Amino acid sequence: MTTASGGDPNPDPANARTFDHRHASLDGIPASCTEALKSGDFVFHYAHRSHGFQIIVGAESIEAKTPTYAFETEYCDVPQQEGAFLMWDGMIDTDLIPGDQYWATEAGIDDVRTILGEHPEIRYSMWAWSSEISEQTEEDVQRYLDVLDALGQEFPEVTFIYMTGPGDEEYNGVNRTERNQQIRDFCREHGKILYDFEDLDVHADGERHTITVDGVEIPMQHPRYDVETSGNAEYEHTHTTQGACENKAMAFWRMMAELEGCAQ
């Protein structure tokens, strides 16, 4: 098969929606909406490495405190549990997914096609950047954007959710900032759905944390979530704290409630 190409010839910026720190709350999700999201009517496909795991462990932490938010993942398959939000975790035979196993190679793109073609119950698909976002070129990120755009045309019943990468490293921080902004700009201009991971990293208590790198002010993970900050403990090998993981999960729940049209 050939690389995904083409994309939407008539993108509508009015369709753009961004989910970020402003959505890190379960307020406004009525019980009827939570039940609808747990109805089993659809499956969410999610490919990630360690940073992306924050959403999953955060959702599990929320569920442990509030069982109403039941959340079930299955390794490389469709979960069978009833009464929970259902997530396919990984690709065909692993749940640690670099870009070349989803969007950056022909083989990865074909694996996405295989999963979606064989499982029409999947209504959403998303891939999470890890620390590699800092080393991507503008051309690399454009390929990511173009491939997801084209796959969205190939599978019109599936919503592909775009993501920015984590904001927790100073290394190549200026480039990381620019690449994440490239993703935001594309999503805004082409009417895409964006889960803004970096924005969630850098906001806490109403404050946006920044540092200066090479003379440039860039967003940086808030000290409240930084495991290098005294008193902070890394949660479940995710490079951040339990609170940060729960924030990511709350923003995810809110995103799904709004995309499914049942949030207040």
Side-chain angles (χ1 to χ4, degrees), residues 38 45 48 53 56 72 96 123 135 140 153 161 163 181 193 227 246:
K38 300 186 301 180
H45 170 237
H48 62 90
F53 196 48
I56 292 176
E72 183 70 15
L96 297 174
R123 191 181 296 171
E135 297 183 332
D140 293 333
Q153 301 309 304
I161 299 175
M163 293 184 75
Q181 191 58 46
I193 308 301
V227 295
E246 291 181 355

Side-chain angles (χ1 to χ4, degrees), residues 72-197:
E72 183 70 15
T73 64
E74 183 64 39
Y75 179 84
C76 304
D77 206 347
V78 174
Q80 299 304 309
Q81 179 174 323
E82 296 183 356
F85 185 95
L86 304 180
M87 177 179 282
W88 176 308
D89 180 13
M91 290 293 288
I92 293 175
D93 57 10
T94 181
D95 65 350
L96 297 174
I97 311 298
D100 61 8
Q101 294 180 17
Y102 187 102
W103 60 268
T105 66
E106 293 286 349
I109 295 168
D110 283 345
D111 282 350
V112 175
R113 289 181 171 124
T114 295
I115 291 170
L116 299 182
E118 294 180 355
H119 296 277
E121 63 270 43
I122 293 175
R123 191 181 296 171
Y124 298 90
S125 185
M126 182 168 75
W127 176 81
W129 297 94
S130 197
S131 56
E132 75 273 14
I133 186 68
S134 297
E135 297 183 332
Q136 303 300 297
T137 65
E138 182 177 356
E139 291 74 20
D140 293 333
V141 170
Q142 192 60 52
R143 175 178 171 81
Y144 158 76
L145 298 169
D146 289 342
V147 167
L148 264 65
D149 187 24
L151 284 170
Q153 301 309 304
E154 186 174 344
F155 295 92
E157 301 304 316
V158 177
T159 297
F160 286 83
I161 299 175
Y162 297 64
M163 293 184 75
T164 54
D168 63 346
E169 289 191 1
E170 183 175 334
Y171 172 70
N172 277 357
V174 174
N175 183 62
R176 178 257 295 172
T177 301
E178 292 174 348
R179 301 288 68 79
N180 281 333
Q181 191 58 46
Q182 180 184 351
I183 295 169
R184 292 189 189 97
D185 291 344
F186 179 92
C187 291
R188 183 179 63 251
E189 294 165 5
H190 292 79
K192 304 302 184 182
I193 308 301
L194 174 67
Y195 179 95
D196 199 338
F197 199 98

Side-chain angles (χ1 to χ4, degrees), residues 170-245:
E170 183 175 334
Y171 172 70
N172 277 357
V174 174
N175 183 62
R176 178 257 295 172
T177 301
E178 292 174 348
R179 301 288 68 79
N180 281 333
Q181 191 58 46
Q182 180 184 351
I183 295 169
R184 292 189 189 97
D185 291 344
F186 179 92
C187 291
R188 183 179 63 251
E189 294 165 5
H190 292 79
K192 304 302 184 182
I193 308 301
L194 174 67
Y195 179 95
D196 199 338
F197 199 98
E198 182 188 66
D199 182 85
L200 283 154
D201 270 346
V202 306
H203 281 88
D205 302 321
E207 176 189 66
R208 179 177 182 267
H209 183 61
T210 65
I211 62 171
T212 299
V213 175
D214 298 330
V216 178
E217 185 179 16
I218 65 169
M220 190 69 182
Q221 179 174 255
H222 196 281
R224 180 174 175 181
Y225 308 135
D226 189 343
V227 295
E228 299 300 321
T229 299
S230 178
N232 284 356
E234 183 173 5
Y235 186 64
E236 301 289 345
H237 308 290
T238 59
H239 314 293
T240 193
T241 65
Q242 182 175 5
C245 293

